[in-house]
Amino acid sequence: MEDKRSSVKKELLSEILENISSAVYVVDQDERILYVNRAAERLDNYTRSEVLGKTLQEVYKDIVFTEEKDSPCRIALRTGQLCRDENLEWFSHGKVVNTLTSTYLVAEGKQIQAVYAICDDLDSMKQRVIRNSQFGRQMVYKTHTKRLQNGTKYVFDDIIGNSAPLKNAISTAKRFAAKQMPVMLYGETGTGKEMFAQSIHNASERYAGPFVAVNCAAIPDNLLESILFGTKKGAFTGAIDNVGMFEKAENGTLFLDEINSLPIYLQSKLLRALQEKEIQRIGEAQVRKINCRIVSATNEMPDVLISEGKMREDLYYRLSTGVVFIPPLRERGRDLDILAMQAIQELNDEMDTVIIGLTPALNEMLHQYPWPGNVRELTNVLASAFNFVSERDGYVGVEHLPSYIRVKIEEGIPFMPLDNAEPVRKTSEGEELVIDRNINYMVDQYERRLIERALDETDGKLTRCSEKLGISRQSLSVKLKKYGIRASDHKKG
């Protein structure tokens, strides 16, 4: 019975390997080819009978790798060096093969028995991406054409992400949307506050009415009052009869973005308008009734604004009947991957490229960065990187980042020690280099130790320490902040 089950498993495994789109190669310790699947035959234009049992040298003697590279299987067998999602190109039978390749070792103890490689044909993958993108564009177009022409373009379905903090924010906003209460949105710069505001409007009973947005920080104080409440002709030099934003938002929603920038004297006038549901244009005695819902947003914590005197407490209570906290990108986990793919699809359409995704190295770097500019910053970083990709590139990598962005991201990645492992350990034969983390982590560990040693030797004096390390004092200060090092801890006595 056990032999029968084992046979069924082998047949199932063979069926899977023969039908997957990835090319699979298995090579033994003598560099002889043990197995290739159908996808590998198609990729290299060889039949199995031509390659099985032969060495890599015999089969691939006429194949030339670009960038002076050797066969990844041969490299793995001879050096133990593996590749992970590496973009490799080679010339085979008069055509260029462009793949994303990974190699893996099969070993017993320290003895390498075999190596296998998995190669994805980037040209084939790009064609699938193009087909899917065209379908996606048609679906997006159909969805958007059904939307009301009310000054908005976002609904809750446009807010992308699966993380618990984001889902909680959306759920809260949907509950508030069904009511008539004012809503206050709190979120850092670039988290998508206007997307939430428009979504609340479109999920409310006022969806057929106008959505009017005012960025309080972008308008000079001396103009903000007239823009909000309107003016009467002759009220001041050059004044004309002008409808304010409150009136323009009649039966709809008035979105006051960055309300923390509203001057205190205007906050009292806004409070009265909310309480009495009426306004007066500047220079006019007539009182006008208003009927609009207020959605406000701030990028600073409301309690901090109140304690610092930037917001009237009574206005806050009036505006914050419902409060929605929009999480920053650094707290949304794998949402970054979803947002990056969405940005890549949009950039592919805009720049007529076919980029499949991010390289593992860049993806890891982006996940370590704290994103002070949140989703908006992520989109801008990827847009900048797209300017440096070529037609042959299937993925956006670290090498595509403009140097100033790469430096900013690398300096912004916080130091997070994972253990107390030493990069070098002493053995009876001497010193042995320990590689137990990725290279970025190990370089950071080494740089931190050098800085701490230099601080000890210079009694914690930053100028002397920077001179000893051969860097500017400003660069040293940045590195101290990055690694959480306090110079005072290294003063003698």
Side-chain angles (χ1 to χ4, degrees), residues 1 35 172 188 360 368 376 456 489:
M1 187 67 178
Y35 172 80
T172 303
E188 296 177 6
Q368 292 176 0
R376 184 183 298 126
D456 288 335
D489 292 342

Side-chain angles (χ1 to χ4, degrees), residues 12-279:
L12 178 60
L13 178 59
S14 176
E15 184 75 11
I16 292 171
L17 288 172
E18 290 302 309
N19 287 285
I20 62 175
S21 59
S22 301
V24 179
Y25 306 80
V26 182
V27 180
D28 69 12
Q29 59 186 339
D30 297 321
E31 298 186 7
R32 292 191 178 277
I33 300 172
L34 300 179
Y35 172 80
V36 293
N37 66 351
R38 289 174 188 163
E41 290 181 296
R42 291 193 298 269
L43 187 66
D44 281 326
N45 200 23
Y46 279 128
T47 62
R48 266 175 256 214
S49 60
E50 294 177 292
V51 300
L52 292 183
K54 295 182 179 179
T55 66
L56 291 172
Q57 177 62 28
E58 291 173 324
V59 174
Y60 293 103
K61 61 183 177 181
D62 296 325
I63 290 180
V64 179
F65 282 86
T66 60
E67 301 181 11
E68 301 180 354
K69 291 185 178 179
D70 197 354
S71 161
C73 288
R74 185 181 287 120
I75 292 173
L77 286 168
R78 294 181 178 181
T79 69
Q81 180 182 345
L82 304 179
C83 63
R84 290 287 186 272
D85 291 328
E86 186 173 349
N87 190 185
L88 296 178
E89 282 187 350
W90 62 85
F91 297 93
S92 176
H93 288 76
K95 73 170 185 176
V96 177
V97 180
N98 187 17
T99 70
L100 195 69
T101 299
S102 296
T103 52
Y104 305 87
L105 291 176
V106 179
E108 288 185 7
K110 294 185 178 181
Q111 183 65 39
I112 297 175
Q113 302 295 317
V115 62
Y116 62 96
I118 299 176
C119 304
D120 290 305
D121 182 1
L122 283 179
D123 292 330
S124 175
M125 291 174 70
K126 284 184 177 183
Q127 291 303 315
R128 294 200 299 271
V129 169
I130 290 172
R131 289 196 298 270
N132 291 335
S133 296
Q134 288 173 341
F135 175 75
R137 284 197 294 272
Q138 292 171 0
M139 293 299 294
V140 169
Y141 174 76
K142 290 177 182 178
T143 302
H144 278 271
T145 53
K146 292 180 180 178
R147 299 206 180 148
L148 294 170
Q149 301 299 311
N150 58 3
T152 67
K153 56 181 180 180
Y154 299 116
V155 295
F156 280 116
D157 287 345
D158 292 313
I159 302 175
I160 304 299
N162 295 321
S163 63
L166 183 70
K167 285 187 173 181
N168 182 60
I170 293 173
S171 176
T172 303
K174 284 181 176 179
R175 286 201 305 270
F176 294 157
K179 306 178 186 301
Q180 292 298 315
M181 66 175 73
V183 177
M184 176 174 280
L185 307 172
Y186 164 68
E188 296 177 6
T189 298
T191 50
K193 294 186 287 296
E194 182 154 357
M195 289 186 73
F196 269 83
Q198 291 188 18
S199 300
I200 289 170
H201 172 75
N202 285 322
S204 73
E205 293 179 356
R206 296 176 177 268
Y207 69 92
F211 177 87
V212 179
V214 181
N215 188 325
C216 300
I219 302 172
D221 292 353
N222 59 338
L223 295 178
L224 193 53
E225 183 176 6
S226 61
I227 288 174
L228 287 174
F229 298 100
T231 57
K232 180 177 174 57
K233 184 177 181 180
F236 50 84
T237 303
I240 59 173
D241 288 329
N242 189 50
V243 177
M245 294 300 183
F246 274 96
E247 293 179 74
K248 288 182 179 179
E250 186 70 10
N251 297 318
T253 300
L254 177 60
F255 175 48
L256 299 176
D257 194 10
E258 296 195 54
I259 196 168
N260 47 295
S261 299
L262 201 66
I264 291 294
Y265 80 91
L266 268 184
Q267 292 186 25
S268 60
K269 190 167 183 177
L270 174 61
L271 178 61
R272 185 181 184 283
L274 295 175
Q275 290 174 334
E276 306 300 329
K277 296 188 181 338
E278 60 185 29
I279 62 162

Side-chain angles (χ1 to χ4, degrees), residues 321-437:
T321 311
V323 178
V324 179
F325 292 92
I326 304 174
L329 183 56
R330 62 182 171 276
E331 295 179 5
R332 292 174 54 182
R334 306 312 299 186
D335 280 359
L336 186 146
D337 301 322
I338 301 172
L339 291 163
M341 282 308 304
Q342 181 193 37
I344 287 171
Q345 289 172 5
E346 292 174 354
L347 289 165
N348 276 333
D349 290 343
E350 181 182 334
M351 300 188 179
D352 196 26
T353 54
V354 187
I355 296 298
I356 297 168
L358 306 175
T359 63
L362 179 57
N363 188 59
E364 180 182 354
M365 177 185 287
L366 297 187
H367 273 284
Q368 292 176 0
Y369 183 59
W371 297 107
N374 293 286
V375 180
R376 184 183 298 126
E377 185 181 8
L378 172 64
T379 303
N380 290 339
V381 165
L382 292 177
S384 298
F386 257 66
N387 291 318
F388 295 92
V389 298
S390 68
E391 292 182 359
R392 298 299 300 171
D393 290 321
Y395 288 76
V396 180
V398 176
E399 68 275 11
H400 297 125
L401 294 178
S403 58
Y404 73 94
I405 289 180
R406 182 173 179 176
V407 169
K408 177 185 176 184
I409 291 178
E410 288 176 341
E411 290 186 348
I413 295 175
F415 173 75
M416 294 184 294
L418 301 178
D419 54 29
N420 294 319
E422 293 289 331
V424 175
R425 66 183 171 211
K426 293 183 178 180
T427 65
S428 56
E429 292 79 22
E431 290 188 340
E432 178 185 358
L433 183 65
V434 178
I435 302 177
D436 63 347
R437 286 291 182 270

Side-chain angles (χ1 to χ4, degrees), residues 3-15:
D3 290 341
K4 186 176 180 180
R5 286 180 180 176
S6 177
S7 176
V8 170
K9 287 180 180 179
K10 288 180 180 179
E11 290 178 7
L12 178 60
L13 178 59
S14 176
E15 184 75 11

